[in-house]
Amino acid sequence: MADTLTITDNRTGKQYDLPIKDGFIKATDLKQIKTETDDAGLATYDPAFMNTASCRSRITFIDGDKGILEYRGYPIEQLAEHSTFLETAYLIIFGELPTQAQLVEWTNQITFHTMLHENIKKLMEGFQYDAHPMGVFLSTVGACSAFYPDAKNIFDEQSRRKQTQRLIAKVPTIAAYAYRHSIGRPYNNPDNDLSFTGNFLNMLFRMTELKYKANPVLERALEVLFILHADHEQNCSTSAMRGIGSSHVDPYSAMAGAAAALYGPLHGGANEAVLRMLTEIGSVDNIPGFIKRVKMGEGRLMGFGHRVYKSYDPRAKIIKQTADAVFEVTGKNPLLDIALELERIALQDEYFVTRKLYPNVDFYSGLIYQAMGFPVAMFPVLFAIPRTAGWIAQWEEMLLDPEQKIARPKQVYIGSARRDYVSRDQRG
Ligand SMILES: CC(C)(COP(=O)(O)OP(=O)(O)OC[C@H]1O[C@@H](n2cnc3c(N)ncnc32)[C@H](O)[C@@H]1OP(=O)(O)O)[C@@H](O)C(=O)NCCC(=O)NCCS
């Protein structure tokens, strides 16, 4: 017998059998449950989409209770150990790991598109010196929509491929220029001899040397961090990408919106918030007082808790190992002791244990980025670069899914009933 859910409507005494597929019922199947023939039918109320799937996806699998994260079926731990960011991006976007020939071609295509149009550079130069790099980043990504009008052809596969290559290739350049702009240094051109992360570090940190060579441990650490951040199914920014993209706007415009969602402190801004929190705590002695304030509802323990993971975030485990490798090169980040002690206390504290609050990906990533020489304001930008792969893959999946339409949630209207306009002179 097929899986069904039988609902009895006590208002009418009628029974309904709703099909269950993959563990879900279709919300629109509830519409048939009515008391009057002309009523709109039953709907669900689900603020923040706590229990609603908005799509069927083949890209990323998460089991939050078990702490599992897989891209296209491959466990994140294996990808972090063996893959590169570009290979993982290919996997996420195209669904399979590339053959060696495909990887060479993909790498060449990305390398070919790393430069920015001179006018995009001029646009970036127009920002104030103290503009937040994430604000510069998302504005510039949005501006690319005007530079690449062919991106409007979203149902042309060739065009989508082109924008995909441009986006993956150009986001590190945009990010690096946003950073160089903020410190008043000239922009460094991309160096196509270098790896994806090696080139990014070159554009960020090269000074007068003719050839920049990143420390291989740091280059690899960044690669691992990029792999960990490449996709995370239907999070806030990805939902924004899909939601905006569902209006059939070009991918640059949609991605500017996704990047804006990522900017917020509850999402991609969290690692920035973690560092500010650790700096504010200042010393291990101040931790008990800080935890007490959090438990009293005066602020949150940033980098803890996750909408999906209700056990240790698998990415946080990998990041902790990466942190050890990085600190061997850079020296220990002085805030690490505070972070470790905070984690130790929180993991034993009844408040955090009962609410299943564990360190998330952002708890340690900020410490690594800071040790590598990145200013705190660059953290969300460092998240946006790899997440571009996920945003594109999710956007394309949404576009090609015949079940998708323009995103348009319902509301429960709780405002005034109909009333007549009162003229201004009668309103006092
Ligand atoms: C990530 C986050 C937004 C998820 O939120 P959510 O799934 O909506 O969970 P809720 O806000 O409903 O929290 C559930 C409970 O845990 C508490 N809680 C959640 N995260 C907390 C945190 N970081 N510190 C202290 N308490 C926290 C809430 O106050 C709430 O307690 P209550 O039931 O007594 O009211 C949230 O955990 C958070 O704000 N974390 C800090 C920011 C962060 O690190 N974000 C990065 C995510 S990758």
Side-chain angles (χ1 to χ4, degrees):
M1 203 177 94
D3 282 349
T4 53
L5 170 73
T6 304
I7 296 179
T8 307
D9 187 344
N10 288 332
R11 300 169 303 176
T12 58
K14 281 194 196 161
Q15 270 202 352
Y16 302 85
D17 287 328
L18 308 189
I20 301 175
K21 193 173 170 199
D22 301 327
F24 288 79
I25 58 161
K26 273 181 110 171
T28 45
D29 283 348
L30 295 169
K31 274 182 112 165
Q32 59 185 306
I33 304 178
K34 302 177 177 199
T35 47
E36 311 284 337
T37 43
D38 62 345
D39 90 27
L42 199 65
T44 54
Y45 173 60
D46 190 7
F49 304 111
M50 296 290 290
N51 197 31
T52 296
S54 62
C55 62
R56 293 158 64 78
S57 181
R58 297 172 195 279
I59 301 170
T60 292
F61 172 75
I62 298 176
D63 183 328
D65 290 331
K66 296 197 184 117
I68 295 173
L69 168 62
E70 294 166 0
Y71 298 153
R72 303 282 187 180
Y74 293 99
I76 192 66
E77 294 79 6
Q78 292 181 23
L79 293 168
E81 193 176 343
H82 303 294
S83 187
T84 61
F85 169 68
L86 275 189
E87 185 184 63
T88 299
Y90 185 101
L91 169 71
I92 288 173
I93 294 168
F94 298 102
E96 294 295 335
L97 284 169
T99 62
Q100 292 187 39
Q102 284 168 331
L103 184 59
V104 169
E105 197 194 341
W106 170 243
T107 308
N108 283 342
Q109 286 162 344
I110 300 301
T111 310
F112 183 75
H113 284 289
T114 47
M115 290 194 66
L116 294 187
H117 192 291
E118 284 301 305
N119 287 349
I120 296 185
K121 283 195 204 169
K122 284 194 194 129
L123 183 121
M124 295 181 78
E125 279 161 12
F127 283 96
Q128 294 280 59
Y129 73 94
D130 58 352
H132 195 292
M134 191 62 176
V136 176
F137 177 85
L138 69 91
S139 320
T140 309
V141 169
C144 285
S145 153
F147 282 85
Y148 304 111
D150 55 317
K152 286 188 175 55
N153 303 323
I154 53 169
F155 290 109
D156 173 355
E157 192 183 349
Q158 288 310 314
S159 171
R160 287 201 306 274
R161 287 288 74 79
K162 186 64 136 324
Q163 316 319 324
T164 299
Q165 291 156 11
R166 282 179 175 148
L167 272 165
I168 303 265
K170 290 186 201 305
V171 284
T173 317
I174 295 173
Y177 288 5
Y179 169 64
R180 297 287 288 197
H181 185 78
S182 71
I183 53 169
R185 292 199 178 137
Y187 303 160
N188 284 328
N189 277 334
D191 180 343
N192 289 350
D193 291 342
L194 302 176
S195 72
F196 189 81
T197 51
N199 172 49
F200 180 48
L201 291 168
N202 156 68
M203 290 189 291
L204 287 162
F205 298 129
R206 186 168 74 82
M207 295 302 287
T208 51
E209 64 271 41
L210 287 178
K211 189 91 183 162
Y212 181 86
K213 184 86 192 76
N215 181 303
V217 175
L218 303 187
E219 192 175 333
R220 178 65 203 164
L222 199 55
E223 198 92 51
V224 171
L225 283 158
F226 279 5
I227 291 170
L228 299 184
H229 285 89
D231 193 50
H232 211 233
E233 51 117 309
Q234 308 312 313
N235 54 81
C236 178
S237 58
T238 301
S239 305
M241 183 82 190
R242 280 181 174 259
I244 301 170
S246 76
S247 75
H248 291 177
V249 73
D250 68 87
Y252 301 99
S253 301
M255 205 180 106
L262 189 66
Y263 196 179
L266 296 188
H267 190 9
N271 53 9
E272 179 171 348
V274 170
L275 264 230
R276 293 197 199 288
M277 173 190 78
L278 294 175
T279 311
E280 210 180 292
I281 294 173
S283 107
V284 169
D285 299 340
N286 297 332
I287 292 177
F290 174 78
I291 296 264
K292 204 170 155 194
R293 287 197 296 282
V294 168
K295 284 160 58 175
M296 278 161 40
E298 296 170 23
R300 290 198 159 187
L301 175 48
M302 300 311 285
F304 260 67
H306 199 276
R307 172 60 60 79
V308 179
Y309 294 117
K310 299 302 174 195
S311 74
Y312 216 97
D313 180 340
R315 301 167 302 171
K317 273 192 194 144
I318 301 168
I319 283 199
K320 225 173 154 182
Q321 292 158 9
T322 308
D324 293 337
V326 168
F327 295 152
E328 269 193 27
V329 175
T330 61
K332 200 173 74 177
N333 187 322
L335 296 174
L336 179 68
D337 288 337
I338 302 177
L340 287 171
E341 182 61 5
L342 206 50
E343 180 184 348
R344 193 187 66 77
I345 293 182
L347 290 182
Q348 295 174 355
D349 192 296
E350 189 256 334
Y351 174 96
F352 296 93
V353 174
T354 52
R355 288 172 178 77
K356 298 187 173 173
L357 300 170
Y358 293 88
N360 61 46
V361 68
D362 293 311
F363 193 64
Y364 287 104
S365 63
L367 289 173
I368 302 181
Y369 289 144
Q370 194 179 52
M372 287 173 79
F374 291 107
V376 171
M378 274 298 282
F379 294 179
V381 182
L382 293 166
F383 194 154
I385 294 171
R387 185 52 60 85
T388 301
W391 287 331
I392 293 170
Q394 301 272 354
W395 165 74
E396 193 164 23
E397 189 178 65
M398 177 275 304
L399 276 185
L400 301 181
D401 180 348
E403 290 186 344
Q404 291 294 334
K405 289 173 174 237
I406 186 165
R408 190 4 178 137
K410 280 178 110 69
Q411 64 166 9
V412 181
Y413 178 69
I414 54 168
S416 302
R418 192 205 133 97
R419 48 187 170 163
D420 289 324
Y421 180 79
V422 180
S423 67
R424 256 167 246 149
D425 55 349
Q426 287 180 0
R427 274 181 264 149

